[in-house]
């Protein structure tokens, strides 16, 4: 596979960094691998399974290399979608194919609703779409509890609450308030005073509370494939994928492994990347 070449793109409120692994001989659209707040590093292994495609990864605004500027507005899915629209235009225009996971899936739903011509196929893997869940109010309250814990006690406590919530099985009870000891997850309990974490401080509320434009998604020319991980059953992100599929009148495709099943050892939590890539290739071929 070609080496990744890094580029930058100035957008309102940020300077995006993106990497292109180019295959000059392919006749297929570029394949974008997108997360949020996960940056390009998380897709290194998955990208390697597509040497026959031009593969593009990027750091969302506020993550890793993509620095927000002092005049940046709140980072919402619509703002991330505008970043992606500008990135696709910089690549030569759509349509492209996109595999988007977690918050990246929410952001690309916003992209497709606004700019359906940008995307041929969207595989939306485990979007934490709290507004689509049957226990919507309890789920959104559980997310706000994470935010409140972070604001009150800092990143260690906030991440511990986040880990507990994303692993919660089934619907959230109305009185959900689980705040484990950060040491349980190897994190410090001390508050360093910062409140600019890209997950807890920037994207947590705007992503999970986003209301997808379902009418626009149903009308879009883009082939939207909601997806879930076989090991994630019962979690909020899995249920978000199932709920999205139901709202679009389809069935979620089950992928191997879990929420990060496409990863190798990038962050020390390997999934089943070979099996995952094979399934993604199959889904893209079926929807081409």
């Amino acid at each position: 596979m070609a080496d990744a070449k890094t580029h930058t793109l100035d957008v309102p409120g940020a300077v995006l960094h993106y990497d292109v692994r180019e295959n000059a001989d392919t006749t297929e659209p570029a394949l974008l691998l997108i997360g949020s707040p996960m940056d390009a590093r998380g897709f290194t292994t998955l990208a390697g399974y597509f040497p026959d495609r031009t593969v593009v990864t990027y750091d969302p605004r506020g993550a890793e290399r993509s620095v927000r500027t002092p005049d940046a507005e709140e980072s919402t899915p619509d703002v991330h979608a505008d970043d992606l629209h500008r990135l696709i235009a910089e690549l030569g225009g759509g349509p492209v194919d996109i595999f988007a996971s977690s918050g990246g899936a929410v952001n690309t739903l916003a992209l497709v609703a606004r700019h359906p011509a940008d995307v041929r196929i969207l595989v939306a893997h485990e979007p934490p779409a709290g507004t689509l869940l049957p226990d919507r109010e309890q789920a959104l309250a559980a997310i706000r509890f994470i935010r409140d814990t972070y604001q009150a006690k800092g990143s260690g406590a906030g991440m511990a609450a986040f880990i507990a919530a994303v692993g919660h099985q089934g619907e959230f009870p109305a009185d959900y308030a689980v705040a484990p000891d950060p040491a349980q997850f190897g994190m410090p309990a001390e508050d360093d005073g910062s409140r600019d974490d890209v997950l807890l401080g920037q994207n947590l509320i705007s992503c999970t509370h986003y209301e997808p434009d379902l009418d626009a998604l149903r009308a879009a020319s883009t082939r939207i494939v909601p997806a879930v991980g076989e090991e994630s059953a019962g979690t909020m992100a899995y249920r978000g994928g199932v709920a999205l599929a139901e709202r679009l009148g389809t069935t979620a495709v089950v992928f191997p492994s879990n929420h990060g099943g496409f990863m190798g050892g990038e962050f020390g939590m390997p999934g089943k990347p070979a099996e995952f890539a094979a399934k993604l290739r199959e889904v893209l071929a079926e929807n081409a």
Side-chain angles (χ1 to χ4, degrees):
M1 188 173 197
D3 293 335
K5 294 183 178 179
T6 300
H7 307 265
T8 60
L9 176 63
D10 291 341
V11 297
V15 179
L16 303 180
H17 284 66
Y18 66 98
D19 306 306
V20 180
R21 298 165 174 83
E22 185 174 6
N23 183 322
D25 298 323
T26 185
T27 58
E28 293 287 346
L31 173 61
L32 277 61
L33 307 178
I34 293 173
S36 183
M38 179 179 284
D39 57 74
R41 295 173 299 169
F43 296 96
T44 303
T45 298
L46 184 59
Y49 285 99
F50 291 89
D52 54 322
R53 302 282 295 262
T54 291
V55 177
V56 181
T57 56
Y58 94 124
D59 295 348
R61 60 171 55 216
E64 196 61 17
R65 301 166 297 173
S66 292
V67 179
R68 299 172 74 207
T69 57
D71 61 341
E73 60 183 302
E74 180 185 6
S75 294
T76 66
D78 285 331
V79 170
H80 285 294
D82 184 66
D83 289 347
L84 290 168
H85 176 60
R86 292 170 186 269
L87 173 57
I88 291 168
E90 187 73 9
L91 294 170
V96 301
D97 290 343
I98 298 180
F99 169 77
S101 186
S102 193
V106 175
N107 296 342
T108 48
L109 290 173
L111 170 67
V112 168
R114 290 177 150 206
H115 305 286
D118 281 358
V119 187
R120 182 181 71 158
I121 304 167
L122 167 60
V123 180
H125 181 250
E126 299 205 350
T131 61
L132 301 183
L133 298 178
D135 55 325
R136 166 191 171 122
E137 296 308 320
Q138 302 98 292
L140 297 181
I143 299 300
R144 291 192 295 272
F145 173 78
I146 300 170
R147 186 269 315 277
D148 293 344
T149 301
Y150 169 64
Q151 292 294 339
K153 300 181 180 179
S155 60
M159 277 305 300
F162 175 80
I163 292 169
V166 298
H168 179 81
Q169 291 286 314
E171 296 191 1
F172 287 94
D175 58 350
Y176 180 89
V178 179
D181 182 349
Q184 180 180 334
F185 303 105
M187 295 180 294
E190 295 78 15
D191 183 357
D192 65 6
S194 67
R195 295 295 185 272
D196 56 359
D197 183 89
V198 66
L199 168 62
L200 300 174
Q202 177 181 310
N203 293 328
L204 181 67
I205 297 298
S206 62
C207 174
T208 57
H209 286 54
Y210 183 70
E211 300 271 6
D213 187 338
L214 295 168
D215 288 338
L217 294 174
R218 295 186 191 105
S221 56
T222 304
R223 291 180 287 289
I224 302 172
V225 183
V228 295
E230 64 182 350
E231 298 173 13
S232 302
T235 63
M236 177 179 168
Y238 180 101
R239 295 193 298 122
V242 170
L244 173 64
E246 291 173 348
R247 299 296 184 92
L248 297 181
T250 186
T251 302
V253 175
V254 179
F255 273 68
S257 196
N258 52 35
H259 193 63
F262 50 87
M263 288 194 290
E266 288 90 347
F267 297 111
M269 300 175 290
K272 298 178 180 177
E275 295 94 328
F276 198 102
K279 185 64 176 181
L280 178 56
R281 186 177 290 278
E282 174 188 318
V283 169
L284 291 172
E286 287 176 348
N287 289 274

Tab-separated table of all heavy atoms in Angstrom, residues 20-57:
chain	number	residue	atom	x	y	z
A	20	VAL	N	-3.551	10.837	2.997
A	20	VAL	CA	-4.020	10.169	1.784
A	20	VAL	C	-3.061	9.040	1.420
A	20	VAL	O	-1.857	9.260	1.254
A	20	VAL	CB	-4.124	11.158	0.602
A	20	VAL	CG1	-4.605	10.433	-0.658
A	20	VAL	CG2	-5.058	12.313	0.944
A	21	ARG	N	-3.600	7.827	1.338
A	21	ARG	CA	-2.865	6.675	0.825
A	21	ARG	C	-3.408	6.430	-0.578
A	21	ARG	O	-4.461	5.820	-0.741
A	21	ARG	CB	-3.075	5.464	1.729
A	21	ARG	CG	-2.560	5.654	3.153
A	21	ARG	CD	-3.104	4.584	4.081
A	21	ARG	NE	-2.536	4.622	5.416
A	21	ARG	CZ	-2.942	5.424	6.395
A	21	ARG	NH1	-3.958	6.265	6.186
A	21	ARG	NH2	-2.369	5.384	7.591
A	22	GLU	N	-2.703	6.912	-1.561
A	22	GLU	CA	-3.251	6.968	-2.912
A	22	GLU	C	-2.964	5.701	-3.718
A	22	GLU	O	-1.865	5.162	-3.690
A	22	GLU	CB	-2.678	8.170	-3.668
A	22	GLU	CG	-3.302	8.362	-5.046
A	22	GLU	CD	-2.850	9.621	-5.740
A	22	GLU	OE1	-1.946	10.305	-5.203
A	22	GLU	OE2	-3.395	9.929	-6.815
A	23	ASN	N	-4.001	5.250	-4.424
A	23	ASN	CA	-3.853	4.213	-5.442
A	23	ASN	C	-4.268	4.857	-6.759
A	23	ASN	O	-5.463	5.068	-7.004
A	23	ASN	CB	-4.726	2.998	-5.127
A	23	ASN	CG	-4.539	1.875	-6.122
A	23	ASN	OD1	-4.373	2.108	-7.325
A	23	ASN	ND2	-4.544	0.641	-5.643
A	24	ALA	N	-3.307	5.174	-7.577
A	24	ALA	CA	-3.582	5.907	-8.815
A	24	ALA	C	-4.269	5.047	-9.861
A	24	ALA	O	-4.812	5.569	-10.848
A	24	ALA	CB	-2.279	6.473	-9.387
A	25	ASP	N	-4.276	3.737	-9.663
A	25	ASP	CA	-4.833	2.829	-10.677
A	25	ASP	C	-6.282	2.432	-10.412
A	25	ASP	O	-6.930	1.833	-11.263
A	25	ASP	CB	-3.987	1.557	-10.759
A	25	ASP	CG	-2.558	1.836	-11.173
A	25	ASP	OD1	-2.361	2.731	-12.023
A	25	ASP	OD2	-1.645	1.180	-10.647
A	26	THR	N	-6.801	2.758	-9.251
A	26	THR	CA	-8.147	2.324	-8.906
A	26	THR	C	-9.208	3.113	-9.674
A	26	THR	O	-9.010	4.280	-10.007
A	26	THR	CB	-8.397	2.459	-7.398
A	26	THR	OG1	-9.688	1.907	-7.079
A	26	THR	CG2	-8.361	3.915	-6.963
A	27	THR	N	-10.324	2.453	-9.934
A	27	THR	CA	-11.476	3.125	-10.531
A	27	THR	C	-12.577	3.350	-9.488
A	27	THR	O	-13.623	3.906	-9.804
A	27	THR	CB	-12.052	2.297	-11.689
A	27	THR	OG1	-12.433	0.999	-11.199
A	27	THR	CG2	-11.012	2.130	-12.792
A	28	GLU	N	-12.312	2.921	-8.267
A	28	GLU	CA	-13.281	3.079	-7.179
A	28	GLU	C	-13.151	4.464	-6.557
A	28	GLU	O	-12.079	5.077	-6.578
A	28	GLU	CB	-13.047	2.017	-6.105
A	28	GLU	CG	-13.338	0.599	-6.550
A	28	GLU	CD	-14.817	0.328	-6.676
A	28	GLU	OE1	-15.630	1.131	-6.172
A	28	GLU	OE2	-15.170	-0.697	-7.274
A	29	PRO	N	-14.230	4.964	-5.965
A	29	PRO	CA	-14.138	6.249	-5.252
A	29	PRO	C	-13.176	6.140	-4.073
A	29	PRO	O	-12.887	5.034	-3.586
A	29	PRO	CB	-15.570	6.492	-4.763
A	29	PRO	CG	-16.432	5.559	-5.530
A	29	PRO	CD	-15.588	4.395	-5.906
A	30	ALA	N	-12.692	7.272	-3.625
A	30	ALA	CA	-11.881	7.289	-2.408
A	30	ALA	C	-12.695	6.721	-1.251
A	30	ALA	O	-13.917	6.888	-1.174
A	30	ALA	CB	-11.433	8.710	-2.094
A	31	LEU	N	-12.004	6.024	-0.355
A	31	LEU	CA	-12.621	5.459	0.834
A	31	LEU	C	-12.133	6.250	2.038
A	31	LEU	O	-10.940	6.253	2.348
A	31	LEU	CB	-12.236	3.986	0.983
A	31	LEU	CG	-12.662	3.288	2.278
A	31	LEU	CD1	-14.183	3.277	2.428
A	31	LEU	CD2	-12.111	1.857	2.320
A	32	LEU	N	-13.063	6.941	2.707
A	32	LEU	CA	-12.730	7.709	3.901
A	32	LEU	C	-13.039	6.874	5.130
A	32	LEU	O	-14.130	6.279	5.236
A	32	LEU	CB	-13.518	9.013	3.959
A	32	LEU	CG	-12.965	10.215	3.161
A	32	LEU	CD1	-12.906	9.903	1.671
A	32	LEU	CD2	-13.792	11.458	3.428
A	33	LEU	N	-12.089	6.812	6.055
A	33	LEU	CA	-12.258	6.116	7.325
A	33	LEU	C	-12.291	7.173	8.416
A	33	LEU	O	-11.310	7.879	8.640
A	33	LEU	CB	-11.103	5.137	7.549
A	33	LEU	CG	-10.840	4.132	6.412
A	33	LEU	CD1	-9.626	3.260	6.750
A	33	LEU	CD2	-12.067	3.267	6.147
A	34	ILE	N	-13.415	7.282	9.113
A	34	ILE	CA	-13.679	8.458	9.955
A	34	ILE	C	-14.154	8.040	11.345
A	34	ILE	O	-15.033	7.193	11.496
A	34	ILE	CB	-14.750	9.348	9.296
A	34	ILE	CG1	-14.206	9.967	8.013
A	34	ILE	CG2	-15.237	10.426	10.252
A	34	ILE	CD1	-15.241	10.716	7.224
A	35	GLY	N	-13.579	8.680	12.349
A	35	GLY	CA	-14.066	8.546	13.709
A	35	GLY	C	-14.283	9.923	14.300
A	35	GLY	O	-14.053	10.939	13.647
A	36	SER	N	-14.703	9.966	15.544
A	36	SER	CA	-14.781	11.214	16.300
A	36	SER	C	-15.142	10.855	17.743
A	36	SER	O	-16.171	10.208	17.975
A	36	SER	CB	-15.837	12.152	15.713
A	36	SER	OG	-15.862	13.371	16.412
A	37	PRO	N	-14.282	11.204	18.684
A	37	PRO	CA	-13.072	12.002	18.535
A	37	PRO	C	-11.853	11.208	18.105
A	37	PRO	O	-10.761	11.781	18.049
A	37	PRO	CB	-12.873	12.573	19.945
A	37	PRO	CG	-13.378	11.500	20.843
A	37	PRO	CD	-14.569	10.927	20.119
A	38	MET	N	-11.991	9.924	17.795
A	38	MET	CA	-10.825	9.161	17.348
A	38	MET	C	-10.191	9.816	16.129
A	38	MET	O	-10.880	10.213	15.195
A	38	MET	CB	-11.215	7.718	17.007
A	38	MET	CG	-10.044	6.880	16.522
A	38	MET	SD	-10.518	5.176	16.168
A	38	MET	CE	-10.642	4.542	17.838
A	39	ASP	N	-8.879	9.927	16.160
A	39	ASP	CA	-8.159	10.553	15.062
A	39	ASP	C	-7.666	9.497	14.079
A	39	ASP	O	-7.986	8.310	14.208
A	39	ASP	CB	-7.000	11.396	15.597
A	39	ASP	CG	-6.028	10.582	16.443
A	39	ASP	OD1	-5.258	9.801	15.862
A	39	ASP	OD2	-6.049	10.713	17.687
A	40	ALA	N	-6.895	9.925	13.106
A	40	ALA	CA	-6.466	9.066	12.001
A	40	ALA	C	-5.691	7.842	12.466
A	40	ALA	O	-5.738	6.782	11.811
A	40	ALA	CB	-5.621	9.873	11.026
A	41	ARG	N	-4.985	7.936	13.591
A	41	ARG	CA	-4.171	6.811	14.054
A	41	ARG	C	-4.990	5.547	14.269
A	41	ARG	O	-4.494	4.431	14.063
A	41	ARG	CB	-3.458	7.190	15.354
A	41	ARG	CG	-2.440	8.311	15.226
A	41	ARG	CD	-1.936	8.721	16.599
A	41	ARG	NE	-3.017	9.215	17.443
A	41	ARG	CZ	-2.899	9.438	18.752
A	41	ARG	NH1	-1.755	9.200	19.365
A	41	ARG	NH2	-3.925	9.907	19.446
A	42	GLY	N	-6.240	5.710	14.692
A	42	GLY	CA	-7.066	4.552	14.992
A	42	GLY	C	-7.437	3.728	13.775
A	42	GLY	O	-7.920	2.594	13.913
A	43	PHE	N	-7.206	4.260	12.577
A	43	PHE	CA	-7.592	3.555	11.355
A	43	PHE	C	-6.384	3.049	10.561
A	43	PHE	O	-6.532	2.595	9.433
A	43	PHE	CB	-8.452	4.473	10.480
A	43	PHE	CG	-9.743	4.847	11.128
A	43	PHE	CD1	-9.878	6.042	11.817
A	43	PHE	CD2	-10.825	3.980	11.087
A	43	PHE	CE1	-11.072	6.378	12.434
A	43	PHE	CE2	-12.021	4.296	11.711
A	43	PHE	CZ	-12.149	5.501	12.385
A	44	THR	N	-5.205	3.094	11.172
A	44	THR	CA	-3.989	2.674	10.485
A	44	THR	C	-4.078	1.218	10.038
A	44	THR	O	-3.764	0.874	8.891
A	44	THR	CB	-2.762	2.879	11.386
A	44	THR	OG1	-2.686	4.247	11.784
A	44	THR	CG2	-1.492	2.495	10.665
A	45	THR	N	-4.495	0.341	10.937
A	45	THR	CA	-4.582	-1.083	10.600
A	45	THR	C	-5.636	-1.320	9.533
A	45	THR	O	-5.381	-2.016	8.543
A	45	THR	CB	-4.899	-1.912	11.851
A	45	THR	OG1	-3.841	-1.758	12.798
A	45	THR	CG2	-5.044	-3.394	11.500
A	46	LEU	N	-6.822	-0.763	9.703
A	46	LEU	CA	-7.907	-0.973	8.743
A	46	LEU	C	-7.514	-0.471	7.360
A	46	LEU	O	-7.791	-1.134	6.347
A	46	LEU	CB	-9.174	-0.279	9.224
A	46	LEU	CG	-10.430	-0.474	8.366
A	46	LEU	CD1	-10.796	-1.947	8.259
A	46	LEU	CD2	-11.598	0.328	8.933
A	47	ALA	N	-6.859	0.674	7.287
A	47	ALA	CA	-6.450	1.218	5.992
A	47	ALA	C	-5.560	0.242	5.240
A	47	ALA	O	-5.626	0.132	4.004
A	47	ALA	CB	-5.721	2.545	6.197
A	48	GLY	N	-4.740	-0.501	5.967
A	48	GLY	CA	-3.822	-1.438	5.331
A	48	GLY	C	-4.495	-2.592	4.621
A	48	GLY	O	-3.855	-3.266	3.794
A	49	TYR	N	-5.757	-2.827	4.923
A	49	TYR	CA	-6.493	-3.908	4.262
A	49	TYR	C	-7.148	-3.456	2.953
A	49	TYR	O	-7.814	-4.251	2.296
A	49	TYR	CB	-7.562	-4.466	5.204
A	49	TYR	CG	-6.990	-5.336	6.306
A	49	TYR	CD1	-6.780	-4.820	7.583
A	49	TYR	CD2	-6.638	-6.660	6.057
A	49	TYR	CE1	-6.243	-5.603	8.593
A	49	TYR	CE2	-6.110	-7.464	7.061
A	49	TYR	CZ	-5.907	-6.926	8.324
A	49	TYR	OH	-5.368	-7.707	9.317
A	50	PHE	N	-6.932	-2.203	2.562
A	50	PHE	CA	-7.534	-1.693	1.334
A	50	PHE	C	-6.473	-1.064	0.412
A	50	PHE	O	-6.588	0.094	0.014
A	50	PHE	CB	-8.638	-0.670	1.667
A	50	PHE	CG	-9.841	-1.295	2.304
A	50	PHE	CD1	-9.905	-1.441	3.685
A	50	PHE	CD2	-10.890	-1.770	1.526
A	50	PHE	CE1	-11.007	-2.044	4.281
A	50	PHE	CE2	-11.997	-2.376	2.114
A	50	PHE	CZ	-12.054	-2.516	3.494
A	51	PRO	N	-5.456	-1.857	0.045
A	51	PRO	CA	-4.410	-1.313	-0.826
A	51	PRO	C	-4.898	-1.017	-2.238
A	51	PRO	O	-4.243	-0.284	-2.980
A	51	PRO	CB	-3.351	-2.421	-0.834
A	51	PRO	CG	-4.127	-3.679	-0.592
A	51	PRO	CD	-5.210	-3.274	0.378
A	52	ASP	N	-6.058	-1.584	-2.591
A	52	ASP	CA	-6.615	-1.382	-3.930
A	52	ASP	C	-7.471	-0.119	-4.026
A	52	ASP	O	-8.011	0.190	-5.088
A	52	ASP	CB	-7.473	-2.583	-4.322
A	52	ASP	CG	-8.554	-2.889	-3.292
A	52	ASP	OD1	-8.281	-2.751	-2.079
A	52	ASP	OD2	-9.670	-3.266	-3.689
A	53	ARG	N	-7.576	0.613	-2.931
A	53	ARG	CA	-8.369	1.841	-2.902
A	53	ARG	C	-7.482	3.012	-2.492
A	53	ARG	O	-6.466	2.842	-1.819
A	53	ARG	CB	-9.514	1.729	-1.871
A	53	ARG	CG	-10.493	0.578	-2.061
A	53	ARG	CD	-11.495	0.868	-3.155
A	53	ARG	NE	-12.392	1.969	-2.857
A	53	ARG	CZ	-13.644	1.832	-2.370
A	53	ARG	NH1	-14.118	0.621	-2.115
A	53	ARG	NH2	-14.421	2.881	-2.171
A	54	THR	N	-7.869	4.209	-2.883
A	54	THR	CA	-7.308	5.408	-2.270
A	54	THR	C	-8.019	5.598	-0.939
A	54	THR	O	-9.250	5.717	-0.899
A	54	THR	CB	-7.495	6.640	-3.161
A	54	THR	OG1	-6.665	6.502	-4.326
A	54	THR	CG2	-7.102	7.913	-2.425
A	55	VAL	N	-7.255	5.585	0.134
A	55	VAL	CA	-7.822	5.653	1.474
A	55	VAL	C	-7.434	6.973	2.123
A	55	VAL	O	-6.270	7.378	2.096
A	55	VAL	CB	-7.343	4.473	2.342
A	55	VAL	CG1	-7.888	4.594	3.762
A	55	VAL	CG2	-7.761	3.148	1.715
A	56	VAL	N	-8.431	7.638	2.722
A	56	VAL	CA	-8.213	8.928	3.369
A	56	VAL	C	-8.636	8.826	4.834
A	56	VAL	O	-9.723	8.339	5.137
A	56	VAL	CB	-9.020	10.043	2.676
A	56	VAL	CG1	-8.769	11.389	3.353
A	56	VAL	CG2	-8.667	10.117	1.194
A	57	THR	N	-7.753	9.258	5.717
A	57	THR	CA	-8.070	9.363	7.135
A	57	THR	C	-7.807	10.803	7.572
A	57	THR	O	-7.074	11.537	6.912
A	57	THR	CB	-7.212	8.407	7.976
A	57	THR	OG1	-5.824	8.660	7.715
A	57	THR	CG2	-7.522	6.953	7.619
